[in-house]
């Protein structure tokens, strides 16, 4: 409990103001300074100096403290930042391509942080809230960039997220006690925006073993009888040809 309180105090006193400040710079600075602010934000979020697992926790901190830290990074920093970025009004003098690339970089960062810390985040009690927040944010960009490279990139990011969660067993009740509930919750949010995506990524298994039909024995018998008749006919014709030759 002491470690959790220290971790929470450090978050509010240091990390949240620092990360939020760079998010604000990304939103308010003109080009190209906002691009540099995003670069620094990326360096901070992906820094090896930040705890990635219980092994990297500070004195008195536990795995739960590390998980809570990354949940706050996503819930309190990245998701709000991405929602504000979707509404950002760009300077008309800036080429539209820059706005698309900037949003793509930011979205990639959020998804990358989420997936790199997935193993730790799964232990968080309110992980389903974080998952829904990330999925809804990605889908906001799918709709925002519909018919453009931004929409395509956001859709690929969503596919990658789902495939990684599936492969790590996050959606499996065998490896994660809440896996089935997470899976149902995720698809409940995805299907209204991306119908058919589930069947595309995870097509239902088809049993390729052909079950014997009740008609097959009768059909096989008919084919055998026909072949036998042809054989007798050929034999008879051969006998007649031999008699004529004599």
């Amino acid at each position: 409990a002491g470690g959790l309180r220290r971790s929470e105090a450090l978050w509010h006193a240091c990390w949240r103001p620092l990360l939020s400040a760079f998010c604000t710079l990304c939103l308010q600075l003109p080009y190209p300074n906002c691009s540099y602010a995003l670069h620094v934000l990326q360096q901070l979020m992906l820094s090896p100096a930040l705890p990635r697992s219980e092994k990297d926790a500070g004195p008195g901190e536990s795995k739960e403290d590390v998980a809570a830290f990354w949940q706050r990074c996503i819930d309190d920093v990245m998701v709000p930042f991405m929602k504000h970025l979707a509404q950002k009004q760009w300077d008309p003098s800036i080429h539209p391509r820059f706005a698309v690339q900037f949003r793509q970089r930011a979205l990639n960062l959020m998804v990358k942080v989420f997936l790199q810390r997935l193993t730790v985040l799964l232990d968080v009690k309110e992980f389903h809230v974080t998952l829904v927040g990330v999925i809804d944010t990605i889908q906001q960009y799918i709709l925002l960039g519909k018919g453009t490279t931004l929409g395509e990139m956001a859709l690929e990011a969503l596919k990658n997220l789902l495939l990684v969660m599936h492969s790590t067993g996050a959606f499996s009740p065998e490896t994660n006690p809440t896996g089935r509930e997470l899976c149902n919750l995720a698809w409940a949010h995805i299907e209204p925006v991306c119908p058919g995506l589930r069947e595309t990524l995870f097509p239902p298994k088809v049993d390729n073993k052909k079950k014997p039909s009740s008609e097959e024995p009768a059909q096989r018998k008919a084919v055998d009888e026909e072949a036998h008749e042809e054989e007798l006919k050929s034999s008879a014709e051969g006998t007649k040809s031999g008699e004529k030759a004599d």
Side-chain angles (χ1 to χ4, degrees):
L4 184 59
R5 284 196 295 271
R6 285 192 296 273
S7 177
E8 188 173 356
L10 185 62
W11 168 258
H12 289 292
C14 176
W15 284 112
R16 182 171 184 171
L18 178 62
L19 296 172
S20 297
F22 277 99
C23 290
T24 301
L25 292 176
C26 289
L27 294 169
Q28 295 186 359
L29 286 179
Y31 176 80
N33 296 332
C34 61
S35 181
Y36 180 70
L38 180 59
H39 172 72
V40 176
L41 178 64
Q42 178 175 333
Q43 295 299 309
L44 284 170
M45 296 291 280
L46 302 178
S47 171
L50 293 180
R52 288 168 288 180
S53 65
E54 188 176 5
K55 295 184 296 183
D56 306 316
E61 293 182 339
S62 64
K63 185 178 181 180
E64 289 73 21
D65 300 329
V66 176
F69 173 83
W70 287 110
Q71 185 183 36
R72 294 187 190 110
C73 282
I74 295 171
D75 292 354
D76 299 346
V77 177
M78 289 306 302
V79 168
F81 165 57
M82 293 304 302
K83 290 185 176 179
H84 283 102
L85 182 59
Q87 301 168 359
K88 177 179 172 67
Q89 299 297 317
W90 297 89
D91 188 328
S93 63
I94 300 298
H95 195 287
R97 183 175 60 189
F98 169 76
V100 170
Q101 292 174 344
F102 191 87
R103 284 171 170 150
Q104 286 177 336
R105 287 172 57 198
L107 187 61
N108 269 328
L109 175 59
M110 182 189 72
V111 175
K112 190 170 186 178
V113 169
F114 177 82
L115 292 179
Q116 284 191 353
R117 309 296 176 244
L118 178 60
T119 304
V120 173
L121 285 168
L122 283 171
D123 291 329
V124 177
K125 197 172 185 180
E126 302 294 322
F127 174 71
H128 64 282
V129 177
T130 303
L131 175 63
V132 168
V134 171
I135 288 175
D136 287 350
T137 302
I138 296 174
Q139 294 193 132
Q140 182 181 11
Y141 280 77
I142 291 175
L143 296 174
L144 178 67
K146 193 171 183 178
T148 69
T149 54
L150 176 62
E152 293 172 0
M153 175 266 163
L155 179 58
E156 290 303 314
L158 179 59
K159 290 179 181 179
N160 184 49
L161 182 145
L162 293 169
L163 289 171
V164 171
M165 292 195 68
H166 177 77
S167 64
T168 56
F171 288 150
S172 172
E174 297 176 359
T175 54
N176 181 16
T178 61
R180 192 179 304 279
E181 290 79 5
L182 279 178
C183 184
N184 293 336
L185 179 64
W187 286 111
H189 281 258
I190 293 169
E191 286 173 347
V193 179
C194 303
L197 182 60
R198 188 172 194 169
E199 290 71 21
T200 301
L201 288 181
F202 310 108
K205 295 180 180 179
V206 178
D207 188 1
N208 294 324
K209 294 181 180 179
K210 187 178 178 182
K211 294 182 179 180
S213 170
S214 58
E215 297 179 359
E216 283 187 359
Q219 292 174 350
R220 199 179 302 116
K221 183 178 179 181
V223 170
D224 292 342
E225 288 177 353
E226 185 178 348
H228 183 62
E229 289 177 2
E230 288 291 334
E231 186 179 346
L232 291 175
K233 186 177 179 182
S234 299
S235 177
E237 289 178 353
T239 304
K240 289 180 181 179
S241 298
E243 291 175 352
K244 287 180 181 180
D246 292 341

